[in-house]
Amino acid sequence: MDVLSNLGLGFTVALEPINLMYAFLGVLLGTAIGVLPGLGPVATISILLPVTFTLQPQSAIIMLAGIYYGAAYGGSTTAILVNLPGESSSVVTTLDGYQMARQGKAGLALATAALSSFMAGTIATFIIAFAAPALAEFALDFGPADYFSLMVFGLVAAVILAHGSVVKAIGMILVGILLGTMGIDVNSSLPRFTFGVPQFGDGIDFAVIAMGIFGIGETISNLGRGAEAREYVKDYKGLWPSPHDLKDIVKPALRGTFLGAALGILPGGGPVLASFSAYALEKRIAADPDRFGRGAIEGVASPEAANNSASQTAFIPLLTLGLPASPVMALMVGALMMHGLYAGPQLIAEKPELFWGLVASMWIGNLLLVVLNLPLVGFWAKLLTVPYRLLYPSILLICCIGVYSIRNDALDVIVASVFGLVGYVLTRLECEPAPLLLGFILGPLIEENLRRALLISHGSPSVFVTRPISAVFLALTAVVILILLLPAIRAGREKVFVEDAS
């Protein structure tokens, strides 16, 4: 009954005209960036972080969340019509969605993606409503040693699921940790890594790094790729599936929903892993696996449901444990920090209107996305005809204005530009920059909890193995590392990310 009353509070907040407007704006932007290849949710949310500083916290988070799960919807449109995934989580959808489109079933494929995602979003909303408060209550028993071990586990999981070389991912996390510890040390009051620049005494602002690496850096990378020849499927009539089609959609969508929800909760999990796993599951249990890759409706329904539910349940470890499991969740932490709020078990108790308003807005946002995606599919398809050379000047201008508005300091614009070049170089060197962002967010928290734990234990490191919760997370970390060292696992990981890149 408490959950229902809390959801009532959430809908009261989410249905306020101002929050409803920002939910609509978020899913609209999310759909647009999902449709446009190369401009993902990480870059867009990075660019919009300074804008959210002027909003109420619940309005800001509702809009940013809408951008995140809206991008998954938009990515399926280009995956089906153009065989070009707008989002990495929609890579799997191209396998059967585009084949359905070529067979004259583009409308059915688009409807399958939209309805599966809406079903997943609805179920994921209730999963968050029931699971998050219980997990937050459990997290109240966490001590500094437990948080330290949890965050180490999260970083290790992020390394494993990062694209490309594990060594490079570890290097990116270490660089992120070093950048996160810049500034005046709170214990010794001595400057660290400031290079004699007074403005670095408070460290580098999170938004400056995020907008530099993902906003400016991604823009430069996209310019270097050049224009792509695209073959469109323009016939997308018949957007409502028949009863027989609905029957074929429901079971795969349900399996994808629950698999994606589980993977979204795990640190390091996410929409990409969820969609690949859901597709592999459907192919394994199918009576005729050879149908997959030739236009199987299950190959669209299950991955689309999985990536949408994973996008939403990723908020559970963020809001209850303060653990960002992906770059987007790290950006959400940054948005909360800009409003003087900190993700963790106290957030639900101290800011119930923010938490439950966000949960309720997810269902409303998914409903808005169905309305936006199906009737306006022609409009979204035409967005693909916009040359990127017409978009990038405005993107760079918004980045510079946004960075400058944070502290009204021109040095921040210079720093963001430098990180933009760094982000471009990292991309060229095949070093995924996302782990750097996670290291930047979690590095100071790991250091703080490490120091607090050792202070409480009078310098004894045994506290990390004598506390049950901490010992469990360290054991899980060791297990994950051992699993990664297995040759078969390494080969499977590389195969997944090669397919993702292609």
Side-chain angles (χ1 to χ4, degrees):
M1 198 65 186
D2 288 339
V3 172
L4 295 179
S5 62
N6 288 328
L7 283 175
L9 169 64
F11 278 103
T12 301
V13 174
L15 290 173
E16 290 178 6
I18 187 69
N19 291 331
L20 199 58
M21 182 189 74
Y22 281 113
F24 176 79
L25 181 61
V27 297
L28 181 67
L29 286 172
T31 302
I33 65 168
V35 168
L36 293 170
L39 188 63
V42 176
T44 305
I45 292 174
S46 301
I47 293 169
L48 292 177
L49 272 180
V51 177
T52 63
F53 186 71
T54 61
L55 306 179
Q56 291 294 321
Q58 54 264 34
S59 299
I61 298 300
I62 284 172
M63 183 181 73
L64 296 179
I67 292 172
Y68 180 40
Y69 56 79
Y73 270 80
S76 65
T77 301
T78 52
I80 292 168
L81 296 181
V82 195
N83 197 28
L84 186 66
E87 260 300 288
S88 57
S89 58
S90 299
V91 170
V92 181
T93 307
T94 62
L95 301 178
D96 286 281
Y98 185 64
Q99 292 302 317
M100 289 179 67
R102 294 185 64 184
Q103 296 165 17
K105 300 178 182 178
L108 175 59
L110 291 167
T112 299
L115 294 176
S116 299
S117 296
F118 177 71
M119 181 190 302
T122 301
I123 295 174
T125 298
F126 283 99
I127 291 175
I128 295 172
F130 281 94
L135 185 58
E137 187 175 349
F138 169 68
L140 291 173
D141 296 330
F142 278 38
D146 305 322
Y147 271 112
F148 170 81
S149 300
L150 170 66
M151 291 172 187
V152 170
F153 173 62
L155 286 182
V156 170
V159 167
I160 291 175
L161 294 170
H163 294 219
S165 167
V166 171
V167 175
K168 291 179 180 178
I170 293 173
M172 288 296 94
I173 284 183
L174 293 177
V175 171
I177 292 174
L178 288 174
L179 290 172
T181 54
M182 280 183 64
I184 303 298
D185 181 15
V186 294
N187 291 286
S188 65
S189 299
L190 295 175
R192 298 187 299 184
F193 313 122
T194 60
F195 304 102
V197 180
Q199 290 93 326
F200 289 162
D202 294 329
I204 299 177
D205 193 276
F206 171 80
V208 173
I209 287 185
M211 292 176 70
I213 292 179
F214 292 102
I216 299 174
E218 283 292 319
T219 301
I220 298 172
S221 297
N222 291 334
L223 284 172
R225 295 189 184 110
E228 297 182 45
R230 298 166 183 166
E231 181 182 348
Y232 294 85
V233 175
K234 298 181 180 179
D235 182 13
Y236 36 79
K237 297 179 181 178
L239 288 171
W240 190 253
S242 66
H244 181 268
D245 293 326
L246 287 173
K247 184 180 178 182
D248 291 337
I249 291 171
V250 171
K251 288 184 179 180
L254 286 174
R255 286 191 290 265
T257 295
F258 289 106
L259 178 60
L263 293 174
I265 293 173
L266 295 176
V272 176
L273 180 65
S275 59
F276 274 100
S277 301
Y279 188 84
L281 174 64
E282 291 301 317
K283 191 172 182 179
R284 182 177 294 274
I285 66 175
D288 183 12
D290 293 335
R291 292 174 51 249
F292 285 80
R294 301 179 180 178
I297 195 170
E298 302 96 317
V300 176
S302 187
E304 284 299 310
N307 73 46
N308 192 269
S309 62
S311 297
Q312 293 190 206
T313 56
F315 283 89
I316 293 179
L318 169 73
L319 296 174
T320 59
L321 301 175
L323 179 66
S326 68
V328 173
M329 293 300 108
L331 291 169
M332 295 294 176
V333 172
L336 289 171
M337 290 170 61
M338 291 175 68
H339 289 275
L341 301 174
Y342 295 91
Q346 298 291 343
L347 185 66
I348 298 178
E350 295 176 359
K351 291 288 182 180
E353 69 281 358
L354 187 149
F355 175 81
W356 292 106
L358 173 62
V359 172
S361 75
M362 289 180 178
W363 186 85
I364 294 172
N366 276 279
L367 182 61
L368 290 172
L369 280 166
V370 174
V371 176
L372 283 172
N373 273 261
L374 293 183
L376 300 179
V377 63
F379 170 75
W380 300 122
K382 287 181 180 178
L383 272 183
L384 290 165
T385 62
V386 179
Y388 192 76
R389 66 178 183 275
L390 301 180
L391 294 176
Y392 83 87
S394 58
I395 294 173
L396 293 177
L397 179 62
I398 292 171
C399 285
C400 293
I401 294 174
V403 167
Y404 182 78
S405 67
I406 296 173
R407 295 188 297 189
N408 295 327
D409 191 344
L411 180 63
D412 287 340
V413 179
I414 297 174
V415 172
S417 302
V418 171
F419 275 106
L421 294 175
V422 169
Y424 172 71
V425 172
L426 291 177
T427 303
R428 298 289 294 176
L429 295 176
E430 298 183 351
C431 296
E432 188 185 4
L436 185 151
L437 201 60
L438 292 176
F440 182 83
I441 287 289
L442 293 181
L445 297 175
I446 288 177
E447 180 190 28
E448 178 187 351
N449 285 287
L450 174 64
R451 284 178 162 180
R452 289 173 59 194
L454 292 175
L455 185 64
I456 292 172
S457 66
H458 303 289
S460 173
S462 62
V463 66
F464 297 106
V465 293
T466 54
R467 285 189 60 87
I469 297 175
S470 175
V472 168
F473 281 118
L474 289 179
L476 288 173
T477 303
V479 169
V480 169
I481 293 173
L482 289 174
I483 290 175
L484 179 63
L485 295 177
L486 295 175
I489 299 296
R490 286 207 311 272
R493 175 185 178 277
E494 291 171 2
K495 180 181 178 182
V496 165
F497 290 125
V498 166
E499 292 176 354
D500 184 9
S502 62

